[in-house]
Amino acid sequence: DGMCKAGVAPNAVTFTALIVACHNSHRWQQALEFLRVAGCSIDVVPDAILWSAAVGACEKGQQWAHAFHLLHALHLSSSKCDALAFYAAIRACDAGGQWAKSMELLDLMLCSGMPTVDPALLAHVRTYVHRFQAGSPVDCFKHLVLLTLLQQMASGAEPVTYIDAHAGEGLYDLRSDEALRFGNFDDGIESLARATGSDVKGGATGDCAADS
């Protein structure tokens, strides 16, 4: 508002800075609004950096659908899509349990000949959050494979020592806000519980218990 009152027209850099600020403050709705305003402005040509910032804001706000559609729109636009935008959209789909969407974006990224990004550039980005995925189908499959391997190893004559270095928090409450946000456990551990007549709603699931 201050720029407009002073007669200074905002440009792509201005809108990018605003969207990044929204990203840092978890205001994905406002980030999308700034992207819309930028697209309607005759003085602004949204570039890949601006679009990528909006995708990142949706990823941080755990809005996989918005991130997915923005990435596709960016890919189809005249702006050159960058790897960081792809990574942000893929992570958003992963956190939302949208495995097919993640693979679709990964395939699109590889087919586009997108170069990889130095891991150091991704240090600020949220990594895999198991609180959202505890008890999901993929999580259950991981534990099934692990237990099968342990049973096979323990069946031999030689003693085996197993140290779990990736149990995370150990136990994960399926009644937590994170678990209930996407309900990824419903098609995983909850489905298995229904099939066996068990009940996991009142308790927790976790790597510590499953891996022991």
Side-chain angles (χ1 to χ4, degrees):
D1 290 339
M3 292 181 62
C4 294
K5 292 178 181 178
V8 179
N11 55 23
V13 175
T14 306
F15 280 104
T16 299
L18 289 170
I19 292 176
V20 169
C22 293
H23 171 279
N24 294 334
S25 57
H26 299 271
R27 297 182 179 180
W28 63 270
Q29 300 99 324
Q30 197 164 357
L32 292 182
E33 177 60 19
F34 282 132
L35 179 64
R36 185 194 67 79
V37 173
C40 295
S41 176
I42 60 175
D43 298 317
V44 179
V45 178
D47 56 14
I49 298 176
L50 193 154
W51 279 81
S52 297
V55 173
C58 292
E59 185 265 334
K60 191 166 186 178
Q62 300 165 6
Q63 301 297 317
W64 71 265
H66 288 295
F68 179 84
H69 292 302
L70 276 179
L71 195 286
H72 266 286
L74 172 58
H75 181 71
L76 296 175
S77 72
S78 57
S79 300
K80 185 178 179 180
C81 191
D82 64 5
L84 287 175
F86 269 107
Y87 288 154
I90 290 172
R91 281 191 305 272
C93 291
D94 281 343
Q98 303 297 318
W99 317 114
K101 298 294 186 185
S102 296
M103 296 305 297
E104 180 180 337
L105 292 179
L106 181 60
D107 182 64
L108 181 62
M109 178 179 175
L110 296 176
C111 291
S112 300
M114 191 66 56
T116 57
V117 173
D118 187 337
L121 298 177
L122 304 176
H124 67 287
V125 181
R126 188 190 71 205
T127 56
Y128 176 85
V129 180
H130 194 60
R131 292 180 183 178
F132 294 98
Q133 302 301 339
S136 67
V138 172
D139 189 36
C140 291
F141 178 74
K142 175 193 69 176
H143 287 300
L144 177 62
V145 172
L146 176 60
L147 290 174
T148 301
L149 290 173
L150 290 176
Q151 289 174 349
Q152 181 65 29
M153 294 169 64
S155 65
E158 296 295 325
V160 175
T161 299
Y162 172 71
I163 300 176
D164 190 344
H166 297 80
E169 298 176 22
L171 294 177
Y172 294 84
D173 190 353
L174 298 183
R175 299 165 299 182
S176 68
D177 292 338
E178 293 89 347
L180 293 174
R181 182 176 181 83
F182 300 110
N184 291 322
F185 61 84
D186 189 61
D187 291 329
I189 191 66
E190 180 66 17
S191 179
L192 293 174
R194 287 193 295 267
T196 59
S198 305
D199 178 25
V200 298
K201 286 290 188 178
T205 185
D207 293 70
C208 184
D211 290 350
S212 58

